[in-house]
Amino acid sequence: MAQSSTTEALRAGMKRNNWLDSKSMIPCVIYYASSWLLNATGSNRSISIGVYYEESVRVLPVHIFRRGIAKLFGQFLSTEPGESTALSYLNPLGGFFDFGMGVVYMFFLFNLIPASYLTDPIEDISSRVRAYLLSTGMGRFSYWINTFALHWLQYATFFSAAFGLLMLSAAHRSAYLILGGFLPALIFGITSNLLTIYTIALISKRKSMVVTVCCNAVFISLVMVSYAVRNVTALRVMISILPPLTPLRLMCCCVEYVVYKAQYYKKKDASALPGLVRNIWKYSDVFYSTLALPLHIILLCCAICMLENQTVTIENIRNFFCKKSLTKRPVKADSDIEEGAKKEAERVLAAPRGSKNVLEVRQLQKIYPNGVHAVRGVTFGAMAGEIFGLLGANGAGKSTSMSVIVGEEVATEGACEVHVQDGAWLSGREGATVGAIGYCPQHNPLFNCITVAEHIRFYADIRGLDSIEAERQTIRLMQSLGLSQHSDKQAGQLSGGNKRRLCLAIALLGDPALIVIDEASTGVDPENKRFIWGAIRRMVHKQRSVMVTTHSMEEVEALCSRVGIMNKGRMISVGTVQQLRSRHGDAYTLELLLAPETESVVRQKKLVIKKAVSEQFKGAQTQEDLGLGLVMQFSVPKSAVRSLSGALKWLAANQGRLGVSYWALYQMSLDQVFVKLVTMFSRSARKHPEKA
Ligand SMILES: Nc1ncnc2c1ncn2[C@@H]1O[C@H](COP(=O)(O)OP(=O)(O)OP(=O)(O)O)[C@@H](O)[C@H]1O
């Protein structure tokens, strides 16, 4: 508690300066200092901090809050109550910018703003914007530097504005000493905070409000703990090891400086002040924070590098501790894979880096750090002048393979190389860096506020095209993809079809040797779909190959010269659509549509038709019940082909009698071939789990 004589003296001084009126005196933190002017050499300069308490003030919630803050500060900072003598409470802006609130503002500023950036890198990764940028030639380092620079600028703007607001208060206005803490906080504190946020983002890998809120809760708890901890040593240990806490303490110290300065600056006569025992460095933890910040920055940068190269890091850690390597998982011989896939593997492996191929994937394996073996020894090549389709059930490993091809992920084992025009073979990452791979991800990674032409120019810039060439390609690509009339429209205003076109245009920039397209026409209307297919067909030329992954068999049939089917991380079949059909489409489908009747009549007719069809079409079998009501489907084996004309004549002649209003016989669809292959290999994998 304050010594009454000194308090009275200070109060009188403040009243003289119109800094204080008796009504506004409430509990607050108080500061004492030796005279700045009297101790010009600074040898005895020091301050002491304590609490002034005015009982007569009405107890409002805000006062209770201030009293709480004051008590915390008093307990923590004032070791000897007898030293507490001076008063600091100035409230010209109605309580908004006083000391206690200042700390709280600083705290929110320093945590909530950067925590709001938490989802940015995650969004970039999950929406594949980052893969897109990397595939257009941007390096990982540049990506982080750019992201960081943008965030830092935004953050610094808010930060400076908040400081400006704080200094609007008469108490803080003349506090140029604030720079002592403000600059390190601005330069190192923001850096450390942003790096902490990025590290959390890379660890959590979830674009979730929950993670953001939890991070805030952790930060809030930390700052509260920093005030509650009475043990100075414990606090300093926390400052040294916890990155978010250090800049926070620094900010609190800044605010301490401000208030200290506000009090101290106007005092010319120090004789009324008691002996001063602590200096600002000792109290404020500025020294420890300033030492810890650069260390935190270095450690956080290392953490981000390690998280970026998780596979290598985890591999090294495993090797070090348990000698169990991720890469030492053998891939069993593919005795059960289909002939076409074997031949393709032989073709590629017999003459690696073959002149015909633009892309070669050789015995590719990818094991994620969590142990998921996503790709298991896949081998195939995409030849110049062809569109290679990659098919597979969900989780088959298509996206993972594609991520390795475009350089987003690193292969655990095996090679994935692109043949560039000067004859060199480059890894996915190198290929992306020199612009040999054009990538069109499934989700359109566009910036809503940027126009079509600006998008193309922006990516041309990243690709390293000079301004004349960039302009030439922008105009040509907009024309060829039918985007000229939308050139000034923002991407956010484009239809789904035009967004896809824009992504294709960007993938084509710089004339890459390989274009990788993920789900070319998903969510696009039939007219746009056909336009996009036409554009993809026109992309192929004798030195370029296009690779598409899709779930649409219609797209495969319309586009792909060859198809590879993946299942559970393995390439189970490769060939042209016709080859797959004739190899595995070992049956025709006979489809009959019955005339509408009552349910019981239809059931009876179905029995009659079943019997008649199995007599006329040798070996015909009813396909599994598709629940189609009036539709009946039979699978007719290829062996029945000789007697087919007679059977069809019979069907035409008896159609009316059987109550069949329409019938058709067609070759097995690619859909059916796909389902058959996947089912066959899944059964085989269940029988021989060691191969899976
Ligand atoms: N970043 C990751 N970390 C760990 N496991 C992953 C990661 N990405 C994918 N996987 C796992 O790898 C396997 C293959 O996934 P992938 O996304 O490559 O399949 P996909 O064929 O592209 O599937 P979809 O058609 O559903 O996109 C799945 O079991 C998936 O859970």
Side-chain angles (χ1 to χ4, degrees):
M1 289 298 122
Q3 287 175 359
S4 60
S5 58
T6 317
T7 305
E8 287 310 319
L10 280 172
R11 190 190 288 176
M14 290 191 172
K15 273 185 181 168
R16 266 203 309 281
N17 287 327
N18 286 333
W19 283 11
L20 203 62
D21 66 58
S22 58
K23 278 189 195 151
S24 66
M25 288 194 293
I26 55 169
C28 60
V29 181
I30 54 176
Y31 292 80
Y32 320 92
S34 61
S35 167
W36 182 271
L37 299 176
L38 287 179
N39 298 287
T41 60
S43 55
N44 299 318
R45 195 179 306 153
S46 58
I47 66 162
S48 158
I49 303 169
V51 177
Y52 175 79
Y53 189 83
E54 175 62 68
E55 293 287 355
S56 62
V57 174
R58 269 187 313 145
V59 179
L60 297 171
V62 65
H63 295 159
I64 293 172
F65 172 73
R66 287 194 187 115
R67 189 182 302 170
I69 293 250
K71 274 191 176 165
L72 277 174
F73 268 81
Q75 284 168 353
F76 165 49
L77 294 166
S78 178
T79 50
E80 295 165 60
E83 292 167 3
S84 305
T85 49
L87 167 68
S88 159
Y89 182 70
L90 303 163
N91 193 12
L93 295 182
F96 267 79
F97 296 104
D98 63 36
F99 175 73
M101 291 307 283
V103 173
V104 175
Y105 299 146
M106 281 304 150
F107 157 65
F108 278 104
L109 173 79
F110 224 73
N111 289 283
L112 298 186
I113 292 175
S116 70
Y117 298 147
L118 179 64
T119 56
D120 281 15
I122 304 172
E123 258 170 45
D124 284 357
I125 293 167
S126 63
S127 68
R128 293 190 172 268
V129 165
R130 196 169 86 138
Y132 205 34
L133 289 166
L134 298 183
S135 75
T136 49
M138 183 181 265
R140 270 161 202 255
F141 186 66
S142 316
Y143 167 81
W144 281 111
I145 290 287
N146 276 292
T147 309
F148 173 79
L150 187 70
H151 284 165
W152 195 91
L153 274 177
Q154 288 173 342
Y155 194 170
T157 310
F158 282 115
F159 188 73
S160 307
F163 254 92
L165 278 176
L166 194 72
M167 290 173 73
L168 277 180
S169 157
H172 309 144
R173 197 173 295 146
S174 58
Y176 56 80
L177 277 182
I178 195 169
L179 291 178
F182 176 77
L183 275 183
L186 185 72
I187 296 166
F188 296 117
I190 290 181
T191 305
S192 154
N193 248 19
L194 283 175
L195 293 176
T196 309
I197 291 290
Y198 297 154
T199 311
I200 293 169
L202 284 174
I203 290 170
S204 78
K205 284 203 170 160
R206 280 203 173 67
K207 191 176 68 176
S208 136
M209 273 307 289
V210 177
V211 175
T212 313
V213 169
C214 287
C215 287
N216 273 331
V218 171
F219 288 175
I220 287 167
S221 315
L222 284 175
V223 80
M224 292 306 171
V225 168
S226 87
Y227 280 112
V229 166
R230 290 197 205 175
N231 185 319
V232 176
T233 312
L235 184 67
R236 284 174 187 165
V237 170
M238 282 173 70
I239 287 171
S240 308
I241 58 173
L242 293 174
L245 188 58
T246 316
L248 282 172
R249 276 302 299 149
L250 202 57
M251 292 316 306
C252 294
C253 295
C254 279
V255 181
E256 285 170 24
Y257 270 132
V258 174
V259 182
Y260 158 56
K261 175 61 191 161
Q263 290 305 300
Y264 183 62
Y265 185 67
K266 298 234 170 185
K267 285 273 157 220
K268 297 232 182 321
D269 177 13
S271 59
L273 295 171
L276 301 165
V277 291
R278 302 275 191 261
N279 68 51
I280 188 84
W281 285 92
K282 214 168 171 186
Y283 267 123
S284 66
D285 300 319
V286 168
F287 179 68
Y288 293 92
S289 300
T290 316
L291 272 187
L293 273 177
L295 279 177
H296 287 174
I297 290 170
I298 294 168
L299 289 176
L300 289 166
C301 283
C302 293
I304 290 173
C305 286
M306 278 162 62
L307 288 165
E308 275 281 30
N309 295 293
Q310 271 187 48
T311 314
V312 179
T313 310
I314 291 180
E315 174 75 347
N316 288 338
I317 293 171
R318 281 189 193 206
N319 283 343
F320 186 80
F321 285 108
C322 53
K323 311 282 180 217
K324 187 182 161 196
S325 169
L326 279 178
T327 57
K328 284 174 192 156
R329 284 196 209 173
V331 174
K332 298 276 172 178
D334 288 335
S335 59
D336 58 349
I337 69 165
E338 182 260 11
E339 206 51 39
K342 271 189 201 161
K343 277 193 180 151
E344 175 64 4
E346 279 163 21
R347 179 185 80 81
V348 173
L349 295 177
R353 300 184 166 179
S355 57
K356 277 189 191 168
N357 293 335
V358 171
L359 167 72
E360 271 187 21
V361 176
R362 296 189 298 270
Q363 295 176 318
L364 176 70
Q365 281 203 65
K366 176 70 192 175
I367 304 171
Y368 282 109
N370 61 359
V372 174
H373 202 162
V375 180
R376 300 158 180 257
V378 163
T379 301
F380 69 94
M383 293 186 265
E386 82 169 350
I387 303 179
F388 187 91
L390 198 57
L391 292 180
N394 293 122
K398 304 179 298 292
S399 303
T400 305
S401 308
M402 214 171 57
S403 302
V404 178
I405 291 169
V406 300
E408 196 193 4
E409 292 282 356
V410 183
T412 310
E413 225 174 67
C416 184
E417 294 183 318
V418 187
H419 195 190
V420 291
Q421 267 134 27
D422 64 5
W425 285 86
L426 304 176
S427 71
R429 201 166 272 187
E430 290 164 345
T433 312
V434 300
I437 301 171
Y439 177 41
C440 178
Q442 185 178 358
H443 310 286
N444 303 318
L446 303 172
F447 305 101
N448 281 343
C449 314
I450 301 182
T451 68
V452 169
E454 283 165 354
H455 262 102
I456 304 181
R457 282 190 207 111
F458 169 70
Y459 282 103
D461 218 22
I462 297 181
R463 276 245 185 270
L465 304 182
D466 64 49
S467 56
I468 298 170
E469 182 58 18
E471 203 50 41
R472 200 181 62 77
Q473 292 207 15
T474 306
I475 293 168
R476 184 172 59 77
L477 287 170
M478 284 198 301
Q479 273 170 358
S480 66
L481 285 150
L483 288 168
S484 302
Q485 69 271 36
H486 304 295
S487 66
D488 293 328
K489 261 195 199 164
Q490 292 180 344
Q493 297 166 353
L494 293 177
S495 66
N498 285 332
K499 282 183 181 164
R500 281 320 271 159
R501 292 183 194 203
L502 178 54
C503 290
L504 287 175
I506 294 167
L508 277 165
L509 269 169
D511 200 16
L514 174 72
I515 295 178
V516 180
I517 305 171
D518 194 4
E519 301 281 344
S521 58
T522 308
V524 168
D525 68 58
E527 196 193 337
N528 264 302
K529 196 184 275 188
R530 261 145 241 289
F531 181 91
I532 288 171
W533 288 350
I536 294 174
R537 277 192 222 107
R538 287 194 296 277
M539 285 177 187
V540 183
H541 57 62
K542 60 181 182 338
Q543 284 171 332
R544 180 189 282 163
S545 176
V546 174
M547 191 182 124
V548 290
T549 69
T550 181
H551 287 290
S552 156
M553 301 302 154
E554 192 196 2
E555 193 160 283
V556 170
E557 296 195 59
L559 282 180
C560 301
S561 344
R562 285 194 310 146
V563 183
I565 299 182
M566 287 186 75
N567 189 38
K568 300 204 163 94
R570 299 166 72 205
M571 186 65 89
I572 59 170
S573 181
V574 178
T576 62
V577 172
Q578 266 319 314
Q579 277 171 345
L580 293 184
R581 272 219 189 106
S582 55
R583 269 190 233 138
H584 305 286
D586 48 4
Y588 293 95
T589 300
L590 174 67
E591 192 170 283
L592 309 176
L593 177 67
L594 307 192
E597 296 278 1
T598 59
E599 204 177 307
S600 60
V601 174
V602 169
R603 208 177 304 132
Q604 266 197 338
K605 276 190 178 170
K606 277 188 173 178
L607 286 174
V608 174
I609 291 171
K610 235 186 221 179
K611 193 160 173 271
V613 166
S614 57
E615 279 168 12
Q616 294 297 325
F617 294 82
K618 296 278 173 274
Q621 283 186 341
T622 314
Q623 283 188 353
E624 57 189 312
D625 185 8
L626 300 171
L628 297 175
L630 294 173
V631 179
M632 292 182 83
Q633 280 187 341
F634 297 90
S635 119
V636 181
K638 271 185 182 167
S639 57
V641 77
R642 283 205 200 107
S643 57
L644 216 51
S645 71
L648 292 175
K649 271 186 202 153
W650 167 85
L651 184 58
N654 292 284
Q655 184 177 353
R657 182 178 66 80
L658 294 169
V660 173
S661 58
Y662 168 85
W663 62 266
L665 182 77
Y666 47 83
Q667 208 183 358
M668 207 173 186
S669 70
L670 194 56
D671 259 333
Q672 289 167 314
V673 172
F674 175 80
V675 172
K676 184 181 160 188
L677 275 170
V678 169
T679 318
M680 206 163 90
F681 284 96
S682 296
R683 265 194 219 129
S684 158
R686 271 199 297 276
K687 266 195 213 154
H688 309 284
E690 76 285 356
K691 282 179 187 157

